[in-house]
Amino acid sequence: MKELHGQKVYKLPVNYAQTCPNRDGVKGYGGCIFCSEKGSSHEAHENTVPVAEQINNNAAYIGSRYGAKLFDVYFQSYTNTYMSIGEFENIIFQACETRDDIVGLSISTRPDCVHRDYLDVLKNASLRYGVDITVELGLQSVNTQTLKILKRGHTLTDYIQSVMLIKAYGFNVCTHIISTLPWDTVEDLVECAKLMNLFMTYKDSVKVHTLYIEEGCELARMYKSDEFEMPDIDDYLIRTSSFLGNLKEDIAVARLTGRIGSEGCLFSNWGRSHWVIEDMLMQYMAENDIFQGKFISDGCSSAVQRYTTDK
């Protein structure tokens, strides 16, 4: 973003979407097992607040706090391409017209909800207002069985097809994954990195989340019933460093942890600050001579061998 605009660009979270096909019965009810009624968004306004008001309020706060002058509007919670095409076009153009300092739009959605009609709207907005378009896709895992346990309601093939379609429009992709899913292994994280390398370029990014558990979701019930064992901090360090070691060095890493407020939180980052977790990861990688892209030349064997030896 600095190369494109000469300065930092700050995201303005917008909460608008009401639901997703995994909640209204099309794919399932109740959402993914880790998703609460808030739609996994904890830093945005209520979705009853008008889009323009949310944008202006957040721009005023972030602008004064960080001296920000350019912004990317981030439609964050739920599935933002799961509404009528007319409604979608209205909020997209409203976001572009709210302020002159909007240089990008980020649209969070599911891999099975990426369709040409919505991408056409985004293309028109990009051409008319000169904004960059990023589609943020919640993949979470490349393991088919894990996707079923999570009740994601989409497949790995859905993800691949959606990325190919998004890239055909010339848009950027940001892929979300969770590195501490109890049902995944380090091999799954390595395969995930290798899959990212096939499609993603220097304009794309990945967000690595840690699994947190919030009251009110299916995962909370499972956690209280001891139906799974959460990976420990050492698992996080091994898994995430293995993922990064197999990820092309020109793919931006926009996040290394997930986090949630204290209210209603059953588990988040082993009771540590996300800054502490990230510092621990940087230290672990330095001590083990791991850096982004290190294992690409010889495939996944080095990362898997390291994991097997350590465990």
Side-chain angles (χ1 to χ4, degrees):
M1 299 302 280
K2 282 185 177 180
E3 291 177 2
L4 287 172
H5 303 289
Q7 58 184 288
K8 288 185 178 181
V9 177
Y10 290 77
K11 279 193 171 181
L12 304 176
V14 171
N15 185 4
Y16 183 83
Q18 307 293 314
T19 189
C20 80
N22 215 12
R23 284 185 170 273
D24 66 3
V26 173
K27 290 292 184 73
Y29 293 97
C32 306
I33 65 172
F34 55 78
C35 188
S36 72
E37 291 294 333
K38 298 177 183 177
S40 293
S41 175
H42 305 280
E43 298 175 336
H45 289 277
E46 295 293 331
N47 58 18
T48 54
V49 179
V51 169
E53 185 177 341
Q54 291 189 53
I55 292 172
N56 284 324
N57 287 346
N58 286 328
Y61 172 75
I62 294 174
S64 62
R65 183 172 182 180
Y66 300 106
K69 295 181 173 59
L70 297 178
F71 301 100
D72 182 296
V73 176
Y74 180 22
F75 289 91
Q76 184 175 10
S77 59
Y78 290 125
T79 304
N80 287 278
T81 56
Y82 192 63
M83 63 184 76
S84 72
I85 193 66
E87 186 177 11
F88 181 74
E89 184 174 35
N90 179 59
I91 64 166
I92 292 301
F93 279 72
Q94 185 181 156
C96 293
E97 294 169 355
T98 298
R99 305 174 61 92
D100 293 332
D101 48 13
I102 302 298
V103 297
L105 298 177
S106 294
I107 313 299
S108 179
T109 189
R110 291 165 51 90
D112 55 347
C113 290
V114 175
H115 306 295
R116 288 187 179 276
D117 288 349
Y118 297 86
L119 297 179
D120 287 339
V121 170
L122 293 173
K123 191 68 174 182
N124 290 336
S126 177
L127 293 173
R128 181 180 298 186
Y129 298 100
V131 293
D132 299 317
I133 303 294
T134 299
V135 181
E136 303 216 6
L137 294 173
L139 171 60
Q140 316 310 355
S141 173
V142 298
N143 186 309
T144 299
Q145 295 307 311
T146 298
L147 292 176
K148 290 179 180 178
I149 293 170
L150 295 176
K151 297 182 179 180
R152 286 292 294 166
H154 68 76
T155 65
L156 181 59
T157 301
D158 290 329
Y159 168 79
I160 294 171
Q161 290 176 333
S162 64
V163 171
M164 292 175 67
L165 183 57
I166 293 165
K167 301 306 287 184
Y169 275 77
F171 300 153
N172 309 323
V173 173
C174 176
T175 300
H176 293 232
I177 68 164
I178 302 175
S179 67
T180 54
L181 292 168
W183 308 277
D184 274 1
T185 65
V186 70
E187 289 88 347
D188 293 319
L189 272 298
V190 171
E191 285 300 303
C192 184
K194 293 164 69 176
L195 181 64
M196 305 294 100
N197 294 342
L198 294 177
F199 299 105
M200 300 173 74
T201 70
Y202 75 97
K203 294 185 70 177
D204 300 315
S205 57
V206 60
K207 288 183 177 177
V208 182
H209 298 263
T210 43
L211 183 64
Y212 58 72
I213 305 173
E214 183 180 14
E215 286 280 15
C217 63
E218 175 66 9
L219 188 66
R221 183 199 63 77
M222 296 167 65
Y223 181 68
K224 292 176 180 178
S225 301
D226 295 323
E227 295 182 25
F228 64 91
E229 183 178 350
M230 281 295 297
D232 60 27
I233 185 65
D234 290 334
D235 286 321
Y236 163 78
L237 298 175
I238 294 168
R239 291 173 181 222
T240 307
S241 63
S242 296
F243 172 80
L244 295 173
N246 284 278
L247 185 71
K248 287 192 304 185
E249 62 181 2
D250 60 350
I251 297 175
V253 180
R255 178 180 283 276
L256 288 169
T257 62
R259 56 178 173 153
I260 184 179
S262 58
E263 184 178 354
C265 175
L266 295 179
F267 179 91
S268 179
N269 291 329
W270 306 275
R272 296 173 169 92
S273 161
H274 70 283
W275 292 113
V276 171
I277 300 295
E278 291 170 14
D279 286 345
M280 291 176 68
L281 177 63
M282 295 301 101
Q283 181 178 351
Y284 177 86
M285 293 178 69
E287 290 175 349
N288 290 276
D289 190 29
I290 302 173
F291 51 85
Q292 188 172 341
K294 175 173 182 177
F295 302 124
I296 289 178
S297 59
D298 57 356
C300 68
S301 58
S302 297
V304 174
Q305 180 61 41
R306 179 185 297 276
Y307 176 82
T308 304
T309 301
D310 288 346
K311 298 303 278 189

